[in-house]
Amino acid sequence: MAVSDTLCVEEGLGLAWQEFAFSDALGVALLGFFLSVFLAPLLLRRYQRKVEMLMQGTSEAQQDDKPPDSADHKQDRTSSADDLVGDARTSSDALLRGIDQQSARASSALKSAATVFGVIAWVTLVGASAFYQAFDRSDFLAWECENLVIVTVAIVPLIVIETPVRGQKVWLFGAIATLIALITIELLMDTSMSIEERIGLSTVGALMLGVIYVAIIGRRLRNAVPLMTLWLMALLLPIFPVASFFTVIETCESDYISILGAFAGLGLLWLFARWGFRLTAKVAVAYERQKFSDAQFRITLWSIVFALLLVMEATPDDDDVIMSFWGLGIVVAYWAGAVVYRRGLQAMSAWPHPQAMLMLRVFSNEKGVQNLLDDVSGRWSFVGPIYLVGGPDLAKAYLEPHELLLFLQRRLKNLFVLSRADLNDRLQKLELRADPDTRYRVNEFFCHDDTWKPTVIALLDRVQVILLDLRGFVNEDSGTAYELDLLARTGMLRRTVFLQDEFTSEKIVAKIIDEHYDGTIGEKQIVRVDRNTTVDAVVQRLCHTELL
């Protein structure tokens, strides 16, 4: 390379560095988040269709066993389930208290962390406003209100994300009312902009808040958006170094430099894309090894997103430094919140006598049906693991990072049970310990058409309670009818809570039970679901199940 070319490259890189703005880099990182929100529904739909297609097929391996015959069916499996509990039998009242206490402690740890993060961030933003703008007593209250709005937008979603369902509506209503009041005050008091500019800015902020709330509170999106955001952020960040190469190309009138710069830019894009995918793979592996829970993953990502927004607010666009002193204050706020949250979780201990639950159901794509099961599993996870046969109806509800990664790698079939030997291997590898946030996991077993029955039979020996969702059950020849018959033959109906609705065929249910079960189904075992049914009502019935 000639000396003139070297000087030209140095000049081009110098211009690129001058044009670089830290806020632009943060904006690109946040763009990855917003893109993931809009792309996640498409990805989830394809994931659901792939799961449904694989379930309808048969396993590649020849089954080495068949569903039990009538003699095997009659074996009472309650004794084997009792062995799992041992002497640590938990009373129903203690179990209910445990669920409430564990949930309250986890929520308290999160609220404390969000409050610490918010207070420090608000003080930082007020300081930045006073430092970068000419101090005017008449405008200072408007600055405080504006910063309070921004911080409120940041901390409320963090609190709501893992708040028990019964409190989410209260939090959302309070957050919206607070935001409306604060924005109104700001519009009336901030005289630095015209009323049209203030209305426009408030509208954009409200739209951004809406997107964030959809991503955080959406039952399906919240499972896919975090990992997608991580990958898209890594993919989009090389825009700036690539742009610097093109600045060099524009500065240097040399074909040699142009070709070299173009190839360097494309190579950098490829390297970052590969690095981003490896990063997401490492995160997925760490999750699979229970280094953190899905809730911790979501909370960490949302905290980073909001911290980036606040750093942008604290760092003016015309600042000469990469990150202002006040931007570092937001980093301190994030670190302090993270420490408080971690200490709060460390002060908790997992429920000492985990009670495993098997969730069986009629496959349904109705959101109301799925939401209740999702809420029940969320509450029960504080006292024990949940097992279920994966299906297209709940595929998006319980999507985990490593499952999404396998789908992106086109290796989703690796999740499916292939044979009895494969099933036994998966059961042996099950982690029954709780995650660092003291929650137990939902363990999905994806099965082909010829492997789901042996899977259900094997899982019966590992649980203390069963939730059988019979809403919409009308077909005597369905898979749910087989599961009901199996529970009757194995004596596990005593451990079962039934969900029924107006569409449940109680005649078919009674017919199947009467053929193979000598006892009776108590009224306390049945929850008739309607619009007023709460998750707590279902959890209470589960806790009072016989022999639990």
Side-chain angles (χ1 to χ4, degrees):
M1 183 181 294
V3 176
S4 59
D5 290 337
T6 302
L7 294 175
C8 179
V9 170
E10 291 178 356
E11 181 182 355
L13 291 176
L15 290 173
W17 178 254
Q18 292 177 5
E19 295 174 356
F20 174 79
F22 184 68
S23 59
D24 293 338
L26 296 180
V28 169
L30 291 171
L31 177 62
F33 164 71
F34 288 105
L35 282 177
S36 67
V37 175
F38 291 102
L39 293 176
L42 300 176
L43 182 69
L44 289 172
R45 194 174 296 113
R46 292 193 62 183
Y47 173 78
Q48 187 179 36
R49 290 175 180 174
K50 184 65 175 179
V51 169
E52 187 173 8
M53 183 188 71
L54 290 173
M55 287 184 62
Q56 292 173 352
T58 56
S59 59
E60 297 176 0
Q62 182 69 30
Q63 288 294 307
D64 52 4
D65 63 347
K66 297 180 180 180
D69 55 24
S70 58
D72 293 329
H73 275 279
K74 293 179 181 178
Q75 178 185 357
D76 192 330
R77 281 181 160 78
T78 57
S79 58
S80 60
D82 285 338
D83 292 339
L84 293 176
V85 183
D87 295 331
R89 185 73 59 81
T90 304
S91 69
S92 57
D93 292 336
L95 199 60
L96 276 172
R97 288 196 302 270
I99 292 175
D100 291 335
Q101 290 174 359
Q102 294 291 91
S103 176
R105 289 169 182 170
S107 179
S108 177
L110 184 57
K111 290 176 183 177
S112 300
T115 301
V116 170
F117 173 61
V119 169
I120 298 177
W122 179 70
V123 172
T124 300
L125 291 178
V126 171
S129 299
F131 181 82
Y132 285 108
Q133 303 179 33
F135 183 81
D136 187 341
R137 186 179 297 276
S138 62
D139 290 337
F140 190 71
L141 182 59
W143 298 345
E144 290 182 291
C145 291
E146 177 184 0
N147 294 325
L148 191 57
V149 169
I150 295 171
V151 171
T152 303
V153 169
I155 65 172
V156 170
L158 292 177
I159 295 175
V160 171
I161 182 175
E162 297 302 327
T163 297
V165 178
R166 59 188 174 185
Q168 282 191 356
K169 293 182 179 180
V170 176
W171 274 104
L172 288 176
F173 178 80
I176 293 173
T178 302
L179 289 174
I180 292 175
L182 292 174
I183 290 174
T184 302
I185 294 174
E186 181 185 356
L187 291 175
L188 294 174
M189 300 190 63
D190 189 354
T191 59
S192 61
M193 294 184 294
S194 66
I195 186 64
E196 292 81 7
E197 291 176 330
R198 281 178 274 171
I199 292 176
L201 184 61
S202 299
T203 303
V204 171
L207 290 175
M208 292 180 63
L209 176 63
V211 172
I212 293 173
Y213 267 63
V214 167
I216 289 180
I217 301 176
R219 293 174 181 268
R220 309 300 175 252
L221 291 181
R222 67 183 183 184
N223 294 326
V225 168
L227 199 67
M228 288 185 64
T229 298
L230 187 64
W231 184 68
L232 286 173
M233 282 183 176
L235 185 64
L236 292 174
L237 283 177
I239 287 177
F240 291 97
V242 170
S244 66
F245 284 113
F246 283 99
T247 302
V248 171
I249 293 174
E250 293 177 0
T251 305
C252 304
E253 297 179 357
S254 170
D255 294 338
Y256 173 74
I257 297 297
S258 299
I259 294 174
L260 185 62
F263 274 104
L266 293 175
L268 197 62
L269 278 176
W270 180 83
L271 286 175
F272 266 78
R274 188 176 179 84
W275 173 78
F277 200 82
R278 286 186 175 181
L279 177 63
T280 55
K282 288 183 178 180
V283 170
V285 170
Y287 170 81
E288 194 172 10
R289 294 177 178 175
Q290 293 192 276
K291 300 297 183 182
F292 52 85
S293 70
D294 55 347
Q296 288 175 290
F297 184 38
R298 289 194 297 266
I299 291 168
T300 299
L301 179 75
W302 304 137
S303 301
I304 292 174
V305 168
F306 290 123
L308 292 177
L309 286 170
L310 297 178
V311 168
M312 290 178 64
E313 181 67 19
T315 305
D317 294 335
D318 57 352
D319 200 1
D320 294 333
V321 298
I322 292 180
M323 181 188 295
S324 70
F325 167 80
W326 303 103
L328 292 175
I330 301 299
V331 175
V332 172
Y334 170 80
W335 175 82
V339 170
V340 171
Y341 183 57
R342 185 175 181 180
R343 293 288 177 85
L345 294 182
Q346 289 176 343
M348 299 173 57
S349 57
W351 186 249
H353 313 304
Q355 307 292 310
M357 177 176 70
L358 174 61
M359 188 182 295
L360 304 173
R361 68 203 183 279
V362 177
F363 285 177
S364 172
N365 290 321
E366 295 184 14
K367 290 185 177 180
V369 173
Q370 300 171 5
N371 291 346
L372 180 59
L373 296 178
D374 190 17
D375 295 339
V376 170
S377 62
R379 295 278 284 160
W380 193 266
S381 64
F382 284 105
V383 293
I386 298 101
Y387 303 113
L388 73 153
V389 175
D393 56 338
L394 295 180
K396 295 185 290 186
Y398 299 116
L399 178 63
E400 296 179 311
H402 66 284
E403 295 172 351
L404 180 58
L405 180 68
L406 287 175
F407 172 69
L408 294 174
Q409 294 175 331
R410 297 184 179 182
R411 296 192 294 120
L412 190 61
K413 63 180 181 181
N414 291 358
L415 291 175
F416 280 72
V417 177
L418 299 177
S419 64
R420 165 60 77 175
D422 183 37
L423 174 60
N424 290 336
D425 184 58
R426 292 173 186 269
L427 293 173
Q428 291 294 328
K429 292 180 180 179
L430 272 181
E431 284 286 357
L432 301 181
R433 59 188 175 91
D435 282 328
D437 62 353
T438 73
R439 305 183 199 208
Y440 294 88
R441 291 197 171 183
V442 177
N443 299 281
E444 284 185 284
F445 288 80
F446 289 94
C447 302
H448 295 288
D449 192 51
D450 58 345
T451 58
W452 71 270
K453 290 182 180 180
T455 300
V456 173
I457 295 171
L459 290 176
L460 287 180
D461 291 334
R462 292 178 165 263
V463 300
Q464 287 76 50
V465 63
I466 300 162
L467 178 64
L468 179 58
D469 187 357
L470 295 175
R471 287 175 291 172
F473 174 66
V474 294
N475 188 355
E476 191 173 357
D477 298 324
S478 65
T480 305
Y482 169 83
E483 294 169 344
L484 184 58
D485 176 82
L486 178 65
L487 295 176
R489 292 177 182 271
T490 54
M492 294 294 285
L493 286 178
R494 292 185 297 169
R495 295 178 177 273
T496 305
V497 171
F498 301 87
L499 300 182
Q500 298 182 5
D501 62 8
E502 56 183 334
F503 303 106
T504 304
S505 177
E506 297 188 21
K507 291 183 178 180
I508 297 179
V509 173
K511 177 184 176 182
I512 295 174
I513 292 177
D514 291 342
E515 287 181 357
H516 304 290
Y517 187 59
D518 297 331
T520 58
I521 303 299
E523 189 63 26
K524 293 183 178 180
Q525 293 179 256
I526 301 174
V527 179
R528 290 181 169 81
V529 180
D530 55 29
R531 292 183 178 180
N532 298 321
T533 302
T534 64
V535 60
D536 287 340
V538 180
V539 172
Q540 287 176 5
R541 298 291 178 89
L542 289 169
C543 290
H544 287 87
T545 301
E546 184 180 356
L547 295 179
L548 185 61

